[in-house]
């Protein structure tokens, strides 16, 4: 792809998300979502492969349906309340329809079926963009309308997403699909807290993005897309294996890693708001995610793929892919738990 075309597309992605985040008018926010969707589709179709084309079509149809529902919700709210301001979505039907539309855009269950298939059909870096950057705009809209959201709908979406995100990833062998189901489960953790403490949702999103970026950059650096391919990594690149190991445990929410912090704070908020049963279900559903993370860790550290080469020495190869962000992201995604008192004060 031409560098100038790539620059225009990346600028459009940045513009679309920024427009949605900073706008105060529903029409401008909708335009930002549309720019975001249309900007990423050329990147999806660029590999010129049938799977990539299929993924782009699935993504476009799903996002177009969600955008249509967003526009219908906006018009219905404006018709009933004569308000186009983003925070003024007081009509119950419009708010419910908006929640469902944004759930489709985020890939929340039961509207999640497109996400694993789309992520599997596109390259690693594009899958990273889909599971991180593309979550920011819909989440910012949910954050801004959080006082009007229906708690029962959010709780239903959250618990179904965490359960199906965990169950769906149990039988997968492709790492991109596993990370897609992981994203569904993490979106469920973020959704349940929108009514209670929306700022904590932003913290959860930030830490999730950091951990997912680290994992995708490591997989892209080693060109690994399947679990069976990762078994050779321990002998070839031990530091990379350790980073993948720590990041997966952090995504699973094990202390003393960074990923434990948002889960701990969310469970604490649920219990403080008399939702102890929901907190128990959320904590149990996290075990499903932890199981398929542990499958990858087991394959990474405790098994070795059969090979006829008994030599422990590897040929030195010049690394051409960028690695500058990986150390910083690894520290952020693994070692921030000691700063939890500061986060608690800020929240």
């Amino acid at each position: 792809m031409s560098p100038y075309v790539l620059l225009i597309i990346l600028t459009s992605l940045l513009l679309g998300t920024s427009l949605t985040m900073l706008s105060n008018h529903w029409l401008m926010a909708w335009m930002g979502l549309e720019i975001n969707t249309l900007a990423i589709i050329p990147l999806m179709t660029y590999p010129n492969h049938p799977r990539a084309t299929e993924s782009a079509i699935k993504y476009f149809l799903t996002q177009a349906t969600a955008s249509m529902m967003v526009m219908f919700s906006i018009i219905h709210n404006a018709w009933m309340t004569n308000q186009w301001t983003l925070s003024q979505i007081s009509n119950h039907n419009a708010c419910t329809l908006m929640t469902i539309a944004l759930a489709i855009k985020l890939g929340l269950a039961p509207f999640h079926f497109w996400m694993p298939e789309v992520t599997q059909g596109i390259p690693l870096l594009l899958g990273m963009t889909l599971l991180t950057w593309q979550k920011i705009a819909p989440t910012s809209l949910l954050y801004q309308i959080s006082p009007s959201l229906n708690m029962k709908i959010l709780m239903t979406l959250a618990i179904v997403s965490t359960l199906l995100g965990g169950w769906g990833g149990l039988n997968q062998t492709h790492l991109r699909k596993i990370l897609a189901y992981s994203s569904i489960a993490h979106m469920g953790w973020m959704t349940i807290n929108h009514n209670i403490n929306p700022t904590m949702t932003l913290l959860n999103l930030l830490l999730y993005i950091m951990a997912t970026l680290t994992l995708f950059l490591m997989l892209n650096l080693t060109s690994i897309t399947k679990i069976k391919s990762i078994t050779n990594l321990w002998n070839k690149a031990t530091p990379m294996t350790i980073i993948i190991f720590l990041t997966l445990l952090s995504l699973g929410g094990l202390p003393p890693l960074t990923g434990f912090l948002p889960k701990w704070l969310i469970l604490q908020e649920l219990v403080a708001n008399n939702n102890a049963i929901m907190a128990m279900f959320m904590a149990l559903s996290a075990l499903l995610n932890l199981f398929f993370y542990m499958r990858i860790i087991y394959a990474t550290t405790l098994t070795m793929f059969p090979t006829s080469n008994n030599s422990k020495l590897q040929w030195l190869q010049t690394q051409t892919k960028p690695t500058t962000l990986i150390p910083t992201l690894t520290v952020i995604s693994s070692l921030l738990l000691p700063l939890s008192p500061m986060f608690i004060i800020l929240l």
Side-chain angles (χ1 to χ4, degrees), residues 165-319:
W167 280 112
L170 290 180
N171 203 29
Q172 301 298 328
T173 57
H174 291 266
L175 293 173
R176 281 172 292 187
K177 274 194 175 181
I178 288 176
L179 290 174
Y181 281 110
S182 168
S183 173
I184 294 166
H186 278 88
M187 287 298 116
W189 278 90
M190 295 175 211
T191 304
I192 201 168
N193 219 32
H194 272 295
N195 266 125
I196 302 171
N197 192 342
T199 309
M200 195 180 294
T201 301
L202 298 184
L203 173 65
N204 195 353
L205 178 65
L206 178 63
L207 296 180
Y208 160 75
I209 287 176
M210 293 301 171
T212 307
L213 282 176
T214 307
L215 203 49
F216 266 104
L217 288 174
M218 290 304 303
L219 296 177
N220 181 64
L221 188 64
T222 54
S223 301
I224 289 175
T225 57
K226 296 181 181 179
I227 290 182
K228 70 175 184 179
S229 304
I230 212 170
T231 55
N232 265 331
L233 193 60
W234 184 260
N235 278 347
K236 291 181 179 179
T238 306
M240 294 182 188
T241 311
I242 294 173
I243 292 174
I244 292 174
F245 177 79
L246 288 174
T247 309
L248 286 170
L249 288 180
S250 181
L251 275 173
L254 285 184
L257 301 172
T258 305
F260 175 69
L261 174 61
K263 288 183 170 59
W264 169 40
L265 293 177
I266 288 172
L267 292 176
Q268 191 177 17
E269 286 289 329
L270 287 173
V271 172
N273 285 272
N274 299 319
N275 284 317
I277 296 177
M278 186 62 67
M280 181 185 68
F281 275 112
M282 295 292 288
L284 291 175
S285 67
L287 297 177
L288 295 171
N289 292 83
L290 191 58
F291 177 79
F292 61 73
Y293 295 140
M294 292 302 294
R295 276 183 65 211
I296 303 174
I297 293 169
Y298 173 76
T300 307
T301 57
L302 299 178
T303 63
M304 185 181 296
F305 196 76
T307 177
S308 57
N309 182 13
N310 295 321
S311 173
K312 296 295 182 182
L313 298 176
Q314 301 292 330
W315 289 100
L316 294 178
Q317 297 178 347
T318 304
Q319 186 57 251

Side-chain angles (χ1 to χ4, degrees), residues 15-200:
L15 175 65
T17 303
S18 302
L19 192 62
T20 303
M21 290 175 62
L22 301 176
S23 62
N24 194 36
H25 194 280
W26 272 116
L27 193 58
M28 297 297 291
W30 179 82
M31 287 173 60
L33 290 174
E34 287 301 293
I35 293 171
N36 219 0
T37 300
L38 295 176
I40 200 173
I41 288 175
L43 294 176
M44 288 183 170
T45 55
Y46 177 68
N48 197 21
H49 188 273
R51 286 298 301 272
T53 306
E54 179 188 346
S55 297
I57 293 173
K58 287 179 180 178
Y59 182 76
F60 173 73
L61 292 176
T62 307
Q63 298 299 309
T65 304
S67 295
M68 177 189 67
M69 293 175 67
V70 169
M71 178 54 74
F72 183 79
S73 171
I74 293 169
I75 293 173
H76 181 67
N77 183 68
W79 180 272
M80 299 301 293
T81 63
N82 200 26
Q83 290 287 340
W84 287 88
T85 310
L86 203 64
S87 57
Q88 299 293 328
I89 184 164
S90 52
N91 184 267
H92 175 72
N93 294 330
C95 188
T96 302
L97 191 61
M98 179 65 70
T99 306
I100 295 173
L102 294 176
I104 295 174
K105 281 193 168 291
L106 286 169
L108 287 167
F111 314 108
H112 67 289
F113 298 102
W114 63 272
M115 184 177 287
E117 298 300 324
V118 171
T119 309
Q120 175 61 27
I122 56 180
L124 279 168
L125 288 181
L126 201 53
M128 177 185 72
T129 307
L130 182 67
L131 297 183
T132 54
W133 182 261
Q134 295 296 90
K135 306 289 186 187
I136 297 176
T139 304
S140 69
L141 286 181
L142 281 175
Y143 176 80
Q144 292 181 72
I145 66 173
S146 56
S148 306
L149 295 176
N150 189 323
M151 187 63 181
K152 291 182 180 178
I153 295 176
L154 289 182
M155 282 196 167
T156 304
L157 290 172
I159 194 66
V160 172
S161 295
T162 51
L163 286 173
L164 290 182
W167 280 112
L170 290 180
N171 203 29
Q172 301 298 328
T173 57
H174 291 266
L175 293 173
R176 281 172 292 187
K177 274 194 175 181
I178 288 176
L179 290 174
Y181 281 110
S182 168
S183 173
I184 294 166
H186 278 88
M187 287 298 116
W189 278 90
M190 295 175 211
T191 304
I192 201 168
N193 219 32
H194 272 295
N195 266 125
I196 302 171
N197 192 342
T199 309
M200 195 180 294

